[in-house]
Amino acid sequence: MMTDIVIPDLDHLRRAYASTAQATQVTPLLESRPLATMTGAAHVFVKPESLQWTGSFKVRGAYWRLKQLSPQEARHGVVAYSSGNFAQGLAAAGQALGIPVTIVMPIDAPKAKSDATAGYGARVIQTEHGDRPREEVASERARAISQEEGLALLHPFDDPEIVAGQGGAGLEALDQLEAKAAKADILFCPVGGGGLIGGVSLAFHYLSPQTEIMAVEPQGFNGMGTSLAAAAIETVPLGDRSICDGLMARRPGVAPFAAMTKAGARSLTVTDAEVRGAMKLAFDRLKLVLEPSGAASLAALLSGKTDVAGKTVLVVCSGGNVALTDFMRHVGDA
């Protein structure tokens, strides 16, 4: 079955990046000597996608996916479900391209994210999920709206074109590392459904195969790690919530899993406490405001669960969409 899945090749990634460059900005590659000293690494580079338009990497994949619509689909518009960052990225991409966007969001998604999504001109519909998995309820509502209104149904991560678009963050980082005459030995990247790490891992697989990919997930939501270990997609049981609201997928998407299987990776999990500590350190030492999901990969580096002594490390910090009150509460609890 996996052989039927399209895995973007290098040319595919490059075409997507050339297109999305029209609607995104190059986020910096920051070298942190304090982080290197703290962890024993030779060099630590941080790629803050929190500084991307809409506050996360998601606009990369969203813009490229919308560019693949037929003229008729673009006129009618699209619908998708999202807990926040894909919602904002898709809304902004739709606004830039003149494509109507409807987003179904769980009622408990951060208000800052739902407000920002509406601010980009999208129609936002919220769902109550009770004891059911929130992504399951939201996806059912999005599917119903698609059928009732004739809107193209888009998936926030399980789509080869989304994977290809997110791969731009990896290509960009590789160019920046080359400009610094550096090569990453280890890459830490967060995982929810896997769209970001799917694209980024493919970019490194093609251009920097010696780089070890570390897939970082919240404790209790390690669907990608469980699936990689089983060599088949697995769903983890519904557990307690995590403060990493954008990484609470219980199973990876088929397209990202296929990409990860091709590229190879190791997985590890981080606790909420470790994420809070990473948020505080990012603010204190890097002057970055990261949302919990965006700080997960930094938390993994700081946890010491991976030996980075003497190595060059790249950390992808995926987003910074967090309300000030929530940020202060998390940092205060660190």
Side-chain angles (χ1 to χ4, degrees), residues 251-323:
R251 60 181 283 149
V254 175
F257 179 70
M260 289 296 294
T261 300
K262 181 180 181 68
R266 285 203 296 123
S267 68
L268 72 159
T269 61
V270 290
T271 66
D272 283 357
E274 289 168 337
V275 170
R276 291 187 181 98
M279 292 174 68
K280 185 176 189 304
L281 185 139
F283 181 79
D284 288 342
R285 307 307 293 267
L286 300 173
K287 309 309 173 188
L288 292 175
V289 173
L290 299 177
E291 64 185 283
S293 299
S297 51
L298 181 58
L301 169 64
L302 296 170
S303 72
K305 296 171 185 175
T306 299
D307 182 11
V308 299
K311 297 182 179 180
T312 296
V313 178
L314 172 62
V315 179
V316 178
C317 293
S318 55
N321 291 312
V322 58

Side-chain angles (χ1 to χ4, degrees), residues 113-179:
K113 295 184 178 183
S114 59
D115 288 347
T117 301
Y120 286 114
R123 176 177 60 151
V124 176
I125 296 174
Q126 295 183 314
T127 54
E128 298 272 4
H129 51 84
D131 295 332
R132 295 180 62 196
R134 63 182 195 164
E135 68 273 10
E136 182 179 287
V137 176
S139 66
E140 287 177 359
R141 184 68 182 280
R143 191 176 303 110
I145 291 171
S146 170
Q147 295 172 350
E148 293 164 4
E149 302 183 18
L151 306 182
L153 178 65
L154 304 187
H155 198 282
F157 54 83
D158 197 2
D159 185 320
E161 300 300 347
I162 294 290
V163 170
Q166 314 300 27
L171 293 177
E172 198 169 279
L174 283 160
D175 287 344
Q176 292 167 318
L177 286 167
E178 184 178 6

Side-chain angles (χ1 to χ4, degrees), residues 14-291:
R14 284 175 166 159
R15 283 188 287 109
Y17 183 45
S19 176
T20 59
Q22 303 172 48
T24 60
Q25 60 181 338
V26 175
T27 55
L29 188 71
L30 308 176
E31 182 169 8
S32 173
R33 292 180 179 176
L35 278 176
T37 299
M38 292 172 62
T39 60
H43 302 278
V44 174
F45 295 97
V46 175
K47 179 73 168 165
E49 283 289 285
S50 53
L51 302 179
Q52 185 55 262
W53 301 129
T54 75
S56 87
F57 69 95
K58 291 284 191 177
V59 69
R60 296 180 186 269
Y63 186 87
W64 175 246
R65 181 62 183 85
L66 289 182
K67 292 286 285 186
Q68 310 312 304
L69 295 175
S70 69
Q72 182 178 11
E73 288 173 328
R75 282 195 303 273
H76 288 165
V78 302
V79 60
Y81 73 91
S82 168
S83 65
N85 281 349
F86 182 72
Q88 292 172 80
L90 186 62
Q95 187 178 66
L97 293 169
I99 297 173
V101 171
T102 296
I103 296 292
V104 179
M105 301 183 75
I107 191 70
D108 57 354
K111 187 175 185 299
K113 295 184 178 183
S114 59
D115 288 347
T117 301
Y120 286 114
R123 176 177 60 151
V124 176
I125 296 174
Q126 295 183 314
T127 54
E128 298 272 4
H129 51 84
D131 295 332
R132 295 180 62 196
R134 63 182 195 164
E135 68 273 10
E136 182 179 287
V137 176
S139 66
E140 287 177 359
R141 184 68 182 280
R143 191 176 303 110
I145 291 171
S146 170
Q147 295 172 350
E148 293 164 4
E149 302 183 18
L151 306 182
L153 178 65
L154 304 187
H155 198 282
F157 54 83
D158 197 2
D159 185 320
E161 300 300 347
I162 294 290
V163 170
Q166 314 300 27
L171 293 177
E172 198 169 279
L174 283 160
D175 287 344
Q176 292 167 318
L177 286 167
E178 184 178 6
K180 296 176 181 290
K183 291 185 178 181
D185 297 307
I186 301 177
L187 163 65
F188 290 90
C189 187
V191 183
L196 174 63
I197 198 170
V200 169
S201 66
L202 285 177
F204 276 80
H205 172 71
Y206 296 134
L207 297 173
S208 184
Q210 78 282 357
T211 302
E212 183 178 12
I213 310 295
M214 302 301 302
V216 182
E217 297 174 287
Q219 186 173 309
F221 294 90
N222 59 328
M224 180 65 84
T226 300
S227 298
L228 289 172
I233 292 179
E234 300 279 347
T235 302
V236 297
L238 183 63
D240 295 334
R241 287 182 56 83
S242 165
I243 62 171
C244 300
D245 65 279
L247 305 181
M248 286 170 48
R250 296 168 54 230
R251 60 181 283 149
V254 175
F257 179 70
M260 289 296 294
T261 300
K262 181 180 181 68
R266 285 203 296 123
S267 68
L268 72 159
T269 61
V270 290
T271 66
D272 283 357
E274 289 168 337
V275 170
R276 291 187 181 98
M279 292 174 68
K280 185 176 189 304
L281 185 139
F283 181 79
D284 288 342
R285 307 307 293 267
L286 300 173
K287 309 309 173 188
L288 292 175
V289 173
L290 299 177
E291 64 185 283

